[in-house]
Amino acid sequence: MTAKNLFSKKESIKTGKFLLGFGASFLALSALLFFVPLEWIEFFFAAATLLLLNALGFAGEIVFGEPVLIQLQALSLPIAITYLCTGLLEAVVVVSAVAASFGIPAKKRIVGVALGLLAIVAFNVVRIVASILIIIFLGLDAGEFSHDLLFRIFLFATIAGYYFFWFRWVTKKNN
């Protein structure tokens, strides 16, 4: 099979529509996020993280600012919740990819966006809590290493993994 025959013209057009839709959606969502104070989003993740840590027996408080800080009694230094902790980049990519999947009915894309956002929030809170617990129990060096590793794994898992499973679910044939 030659490269020329690899994709039909119809498939090339579908791919082009997806890429254009993805790019336009990504730019539009990124521009809209410019108007949302980052501290609010960081505070949301800090609050969700502290709630889960409290349930696990770790007390602390949130210091509002840029970045938002979590000061735990178990640690001498605060934990900073920054832009990358929030999963905003992952959210924009997932929402853009789902929205640009033009062959899928709009209702399923809306559900896909909502479920994607919930998955990203849940994954990021779990990732933040896991990183903090590693710092508490294994020290800052292990925490830094695991934070970098978990960030990369969760970045890939939330974007590629979610889109793969969502697309597979909405395109499967009913037998």
Side-chain angles (χ1 to χ4, degrees), residues 8-9 14 20 22 40 56 62 82 95 104 124 156 170 172 175:
S8 69
K9 187 174 184 175
K14 283 174 38 178
L20 285 173
F22 176 84
W40 294 359
L56 295 172
I62 295 173
T82 66
V95 169
I104 309 298
N124 276 302
F156 178 77
V170 297
K172 72 178 178 185
N175 293 331

Side-chain angles (χ1 to χ4, degrees), residues 12 24 59 72 75 89 92 104-105 124 126 132 141-142 152 154 156 165 168 174:
S12 296
L72 293 173
L75 296 172
L89 178 61
V92 170
I104 309 298
N124 276 302
V126 167
I132 292 170
D141 289 338
R152 286 171 177 79
F154 277 79
F156 178 77
F165 286 110
R168 189 170 175 206
N174 292 331

Side-chain angles (χ1 to χ4, degrees), residues 24-124:
S25 179
F26 184 86
L27 289 173
L29 290 171
S30 295
L32 286 175
L33 283 175
F34 179 76
F35 297 105
V36 178
L38 184 56
E39 296 92 343
W40 294 359
I41 298 167
E42 291 170 351
F43 180 80
F44 170 81
F45 279 91
T49 298
L50 188 56
L51 184 68
L52 191 52
L53 287 168
N54 285 337
L56 295 172
F58 297 98
E61 64 183 19
I62 295 173
V63 180
F64 192 78
E66 179 49 43
V68 173
L69 302 175
I70 300 174
Q71 182 62 64
L72 293 173
Q73 291 176 358
L75 296 172
S76 59
L77 296 173
I79 302 293
I81 304 298
T82 66
Y83 168 79
L84 290 176
C85 297
T86 65
L88 281 175
L89 178 61
E90 294 100 315
V92 170
V93 170
V94 165
V95 169
S96 296
V98 170
S101 300
F102 297 116
I104 309 298
K107 185 176 180 179
K108 289 184 177 182
R109 286 187 280 154
I110 292 168
V111 169
V113 164
L115 291 176
L117 291 173
L118 286 173
I120 289 166
V121 168
F123 272 104
N124 276 302

